[in-house]
Amino acid sequence: MANPLSVLILEDDPSDAELLLEELRRSGFAAKGRRVEDEAGYIKGLARQPDLILADYTLPQFDAVQALRLLQSQGLDIPFIVVTGTLEESAIECMKQGAADYVLKEKLGRLGPAVTRALELKRLRDEKRRTEEALHESEAKYWNLLRAAPDAIVVADSAGRILLANDQTERLFGYGRDELLGQPIEALLPERLRERHVAHRSAYASAPRMRLTDSPLDILGQRKDGSEFPADVVLSPLQTEGGLTVTAIVRDVTERKRAEEELRQLSHRLLALQEEDRRQVSYDIHDGLGQLITAAALHVDALDAMVASSDLLPANAHAELRSASDCIHSAVVDMRRMISDLGPLLLEDLGFLEASKRLLEDTAARAGWEAEFEGELGSGLLEQPQEIALFRVVQEALSNARKHSGTRKVRLTVQHGSGTLRVAVQDWGSGFDAENVLRQPGEGHHIGLVSMRERAALTGGECIIDSSPGQGTTVTISVPIAERTASAASPASKELVTMTERKSNGSGTAGKIRVLIADDHAMVRDGLRSILSVDDIEIVGEAGTGAEAVEAVQTLEPDLVLMDIRMPDMDGLAATEAIKQCSPDTSVIVVTSYESKEYLRRAIEAGAAGYLLKGTPREGFITAIRAVRSGGSLIDARLLGELLHDMGLAEKFENAALDSLQSLSPREREVLALLVEGLTNKEIAQQMHYSVGTVKNVVQRVIEKLGVSDRTQAAVYAVRSGLPMQ
């Protein structure tokens, strides 16, 4: 089917015009023509937008050059072909000015191909124009989107030079667009970060990928006025013909950071309130139910002693009371554990490290684990919220291991350095797919794992849960700490002052041991009175606070004080130290609910001669009082062993005890035995009829031969090694 073609023919000879149309029809065009021969007719013809213009070069009133210029002046793109009788230079000039082709009248056979080519070129020009218009429209839309974007958008080349910056970039950074184009992207960063950023940019260019900035905390923008702001940045690379370009979307997150900090502070307050509520409940249990149960245990022990000496009660009465006493003591143990879970009092008094070690020991004992601990922590490095968060994460991790892992071994590691404290709880149990578990939906699902991460985040740290099926689980929490010199020496480095005090004389009823009871709970004091109702012990007074105990010692001059640790005004440890200063002849036995090596160490440092748990049976109290009164000491054996291990003495005892003791001379062994009894150098000198200077020299030789640091460690060494006492 012939292609329709509308032709405007500029020709003064009608027969020539018809010949042109006939030639076009023979070439396959359904040509329809309009002939004009002057400028007015030509202009009217142009108004109809013909598909093609055929112009005779020379007309009486008008020519092809004029026609071409008129066409161009109207901005019309219509193929213009010159038809001439002879090839003239002016026809060639017309071609130079934009005519599509020329055809000699004597060779009209070229007309069809010339028109086909001109129309194809016209089609290509139209297509190109449409493409350019679409591209321009697309670019306009893109630029309008960039201008309307709420974030700053900066495009840079592979060398980091800014190629494009939108309106928000100008508003955010304070620069005009002309000031930014061609500048290095580092111009938008604080000067101290620019050199490092150049290295980061080079590394990124070697392996470009879409990504968020690794650490928003380290990304800071700098405005033209020098002010800085935190920013989140998204990078998107694009390979172009001109090379790599990177689009950076920059958002000022000052308000978000402020909101996050407010939320963090609010969460801190909520956690603090939660911890305070738990602590208050633990106090209420400890000061109420706990003391009531302790007092009941003491009274039952006292009643049991009465029943045992009576022939008037049924034969099984003693056994029943023993069973009741066992139940009460079990309740005391469970109560201590519940108090520790609710509000770890040791965390308040002793800090994170000791409280966590105790928690590990208790949990391992209940679960039957092999427990390992490794680490150290100087004093003053952790703030209270950090201690609480760390302790709760350790508590949750140990609880999860006990409930779910089936492990037989757990390790707790504490390390610090480079401004970071890392605490890890590792088990060798069944493990699990941590990320998959955390993604599982459901209200309250795996809240323990989530809470560990949230607690870490609230302290500015992070919690990583590394686990896989069959490979065990490691929970690691890292928190920032202030690297500063501790205000006091690490507890493990302090010198032990004294362990026992020997009584040289006493007052009161002849032969009786005068005892002062210091405890802030009257029911416990009553219970102790009951179990100590024996012939050779006399209760001469009571005190409800540490300060009252110090005052009572000065007034009543007791031989011995049974001292609780946690008391108002002045705690029992401070009171013990004060008593040993004002009344050196008064012995102190610490009586507490806390099975703590740290409390034991501090009690020994303060000058206590004994350390007993409130759950100790009646005979244990009586034996301890008598032993201390006669110059000995009585300390819970398990706690003493653990303390020796922490002091670094356990391995010495195990590997070198026999050889060290055998190296002592008879006189040195005798002096060591008197050290164990708690005698001072002066008292040893009097008993052995030596000078004080001689005794001092012998004591120093004993310390050196045993490889310990002081006389107290020498005495402990001897007791642990089984030195026979004469």
Side-chain angles (χ1 to χ4, degrees), residues 16 36 52 101 237 242 468 491 526 594 638 643 661 664:
D16 285 349
V36 297
L52 176 68
D101 206 341
S468 58
D526 289 342
Y594 303 110
R638 182 180 66 83
L643 178 60
L661 290 174
L664 299 180

Side-chain angles (χ1 to χ4, degrees), residues 276-583:
E276 181 58 33
D277 286 344
R278 297 175 70 165
R279 189 180 298 111
Q280 189 58 51
V281 171
S282 69
Y283 284 155
D284 290 343
I285 294 174
H286 177 270
D287 294 344
L289 180 61
Q291 302 308 316
L292 182 61
I293 294 176
T294 299
L298 294 172
H299 285 294
V300 168
D301 283 347
L303 180 58
D304 183 48
M306 298 176 191
V307 169
S309 61
S310 174
D311 297 330
L312 302 177
L313 295 174
N316 63 345
H318 176 67
E320 289 295 329
L321 280 174
R322 280 291 84 206
S323 296
S325 178
D326 291 343
C327 290
I328 293 175
H329 286 299
S330 296
V332 170
V333 173
D334 288 342
M335 177 202 65
R336 288 176 188 156
R337 188 172 298 126
M338 181 168 55
I339 290 173
S340 178
D341 290 343
L342 278 172
L345 303 182
L346 284 177
L347 186 62
E348 283 185 32
D349 295 338
L350 309 178
F352 167 73
L353 194 67
E354 174 65 19
S356 297
K357 288 167 67 177
R358 171 65 184 279
L359 178 63
L360 174 64
E361 292 165 2
D362 289 349
T363 308
R366 281 183 281 165
W369 291 338
E370 175 188 348
E372 294 181 354
F373 174 84
E374 178 183 358
E376 59 180 359
L377 181 64
S379 61
L381 294 179
L382 289 174
E383 303 293 339
Q384 185 184 35
Q386 291 177 311
E387 283 197 329
I388 293 173
L390 285 168
F391 184 82
R392 290 303 184 194
V393 171
V394 171
Q395 190 176 45
E396 183 67 31
L398 291 175
S399 176
N400 287 342
R402 184 184 178 202
K403 293 177 182 177
H404 307 298
S405 73
T407 186
R408 299 179 63 85
K409 178 181 177 181
V410 171
R411 175 185 296 152
L412 173 61
T413 306
V414 180
Q415 298 174 324
H416 70 89
S418 302
T420 302
L421 176 71
R422 292 180 179 83
V423 180
V425 179
Q426 181 180 7
D427 70 60
W428 283 260
S430 57
F432 63 100
D433 186 342
E435 293 304 319
N436 183 54
V437 167
L438 287 168
R439 285 195 300 266
Q440 291 179 9
E443 184 177 354
H445 210 62
H446 307 294
I447 190 170
L449 300 178
V450 175
S451 69
M452 288 193 289
R453 289 183 168 181
E454 290 179 348
R455 285 184 182 275
L458 289 174
T459 61
E462 64 174 346
C463 179
I464 299 175
I465 303 172
D466 182 12
S467 184
S468 58
Q471 301 300 314
T473 301
T474 300
V475 176
T476 304
I477 177 172
S478 303
V479 298
I481 57 175
E483 292 286 3
R484 54 181 180 268
T485 303
S487 59
S490 174
S493 67
K494 292 183 179 178
E495 182 182 358
L496 299 179
V497 178
T498 184
M499 186 171 180
T500 63
E501 290 292 338
R502 181 175 179 84
K503 297 295 290 183
S504 58
N505 54 60
S507 59
T509 304
K512 286 198 174 187
I513 305 173
R514 294 166 51 80
V515 176
L516 172 71
I517 300 174
D519 195 292
D520 58 332
H521 296 91
M523 64 184 74
V524 175
R525 298 198 298 270
D526 289 342
L528 288 171
R529 273 184 176 274
S530 297
I531 65 170
L532 298 178
S533 180
V534 294
D535 292 340
D536 61 340
I537 296 177
E538 178 186 1
I539 307 300
V540 297
E542 298 180 5
T545 68
E548 289 178 5
V550 175
E551 183 178 353
V553 166
Q554 296 175 7
T555 303
L556 300 174
E557 297 183 356
D559 299 314
L560 184 143
V561 179
L562 296 178
M563 182 74 72
D564 189 18
I565 289 183
R566 295 184 63 89
M567 291 188 293
D569 296 339
M570 177 188 289
D571 67 40
L573 298 175
T576 298
E577 187 172 2
I579 288 170
K580 297 306 296 180
Q581 290 176 356
C582 69
S583 181

